[in-house]
Amino acid sequence: AQSVTQLDSHVSVSEGTPVLLRCNYSSSYSPSLFWYVQHPNKGLQLLLKYTSAATLVKGINGFEAEFKKSETSFHLTKPSAHMSDAAEYFCVVSGARSYQLTFGKGTKLSVIP
Amino acid sequence: EAGVAQSPRYKIIEKRQSVAFWCNPISGHATLYWYQQILGQGPKLLIQFQNNGVVDDSQLPKDRFSAERLKGVDSTLKIQPAKLEDSAVYLCASRGGAGVSTLSYEQYFGPGTRLTVT
């Protein structure tokens, strides 16, 4: 079985400062990992995905994440936060069977002007 | 291309009543998923279809929940009778790709239906 743990339920940053959203995973095999973003009253959108290629993954809107097997982590970062980044972020691991996704509990990102 | 459509967007019912949600996936997407997202939690998979067949419904509470995808396109999710703990957002997602386990194709999510059971 696989699972993800998002270490912070809420992160608050000032506009223009770096963003770090932390995620640890547990998997009995080589996992595929994703970050999704959910804006209020909108559907989930894929930010980026790791599928055993390069360990540093670049996504949309300037976000990136680094897969660290030794630390079982897949933290999401962005050099400079924008007001439009305020949303809920989910770390997700894919199962080996039928491409099923297991979501973390989410981290709410607030951006202060 | 049009995204995943869901209706209604909001629904309020009393406990023990029944309710149905509708999902229209992206055209050509063979795989369809229903998720339940309780407030403060991540989405949890309820059921997965491949065309009009069920791939996995192991987390679907079958005593009260049912889902179908008769022609391999639209899908409906029904709850009968509803309980207070069913209050949640119900998300539909679809995925293209050649097979059930192809990892290179992402899931596209609809806006969800927010259900409140009183």
Side-chain angles (χ1 to χ4, degrees):
Chain A
Q2 65 280 341
S3 65
V4 289
T5 301
Q6 293 185 243
L7 300 174
D8 306 292
S9 59
H10 191 193
V11 170
S12 184
V13 301
S14 297
E15 189 175 18
T17 64
V19 175
L20 171 63
L21 305 184
R22 299 181 295 164
C23 173
N24 286 347
Y25 71 90
S26 174
S27 178
S28 55
Y29 50 85
S30 183
S32 291
L33 293 159
F34 310 81
W35 277 96
Y36 277 81
V37 61
Q38 187 175 38
H39 288 92
N41 299 315
K42 291 192 175 181
L44 285 156
Q45 181 184 22
L46 180 67
L47 273 181
L48 49 82
K49 61 185 176 185
Y50 165 77
T51 55
S52 74
T55 56
L56 182 62
V57 181
K58 294 188 183 298
I60 61 173
N61 300 333
F63 284 95
E64 63 181 36
E66 186 172 8
F67 174 74
K68 292 186 176 180
K69 186 175 181 178
S70 60
E71 299 176 10
T72 62
S73 68
F74 190 58
H75 302 333
L76 181 70
T77 61
K78 183 174 180 177
S80 176
H82 191 271
M83 293 300 295
S84 61
D85 295 329
E88 187 97 25
Y89 291 80
F90 292 95
C91 183
V92 184
V93 63
S94 177
R97 183 169 68 94
S98 302
Y99 190 44
Q100 292 178 2
L101 303 182
T102 299
F103 284 75
K105 291 189 175 182
T107 298
K108 183 177 180 179
L109 176 65
S110 297
V111 182
I112 303 167
Chain B
E1 85 188 334
V4 177
Q6 291 188 246
S7 67
R9 292 295 309 277
Y10 305 91
K11 189 74 176 179
I12 300 175
I13 62 172
E14 295 181 352
K15 59 184 179 183
R16 291 187 290 274
Q17 287 186 324
S18 62
V19 65
F21 313 127
W22 172 81
C23 172
N24 181 237
I26 293 173
S27 178
H29 279 194
T31 312
L32 185 146
Y33 309 81
W34 283 102
Y35 291 84
Q36 179 192 58
Q37 186 177 14
I38 293 173
L39 185 65
Q41 299 182 19
K44 182 187 79 171
L45 179 69
L46 291 176
I47 188 168
Q48 177 183 350
F49 291 94
Q50 179 74 11
N51 297 308
N52 61 348
V54 175
V55 173
D56 187 346
D57 62 358
S58 58
Q59 299 192 79
L60 187 74
K62 298 182 189 62
D63 57 333
R64 297 184 299 106
F65 286 66
S66 64
E68 61 183 12
R69 192 183 185 201
L70 291 175
K71 296 183 179 179
V73 181
D74 294 5
S75 177
T76 56
L77 176 69
K78 298 179 182 178
I79 308 175
Q80 181 179 12
K83 292 185 176 181
L84 295 176
E85 59 261 36
D86 298 332
S87 294
V89 175
Y90 291 85
L91 296 165
C92 179
S94 70
R95 181 173 70 90
V100 171
S101 299
T102 304
L103 290 180
S104 60
Y105 300 96
E106 71 175 273
Q107 292 186 25
Y108 294 84
F109 285 81
T113 297
R114 183 177 298 276
L115 173 67
T116 302
V117 182
T118 63

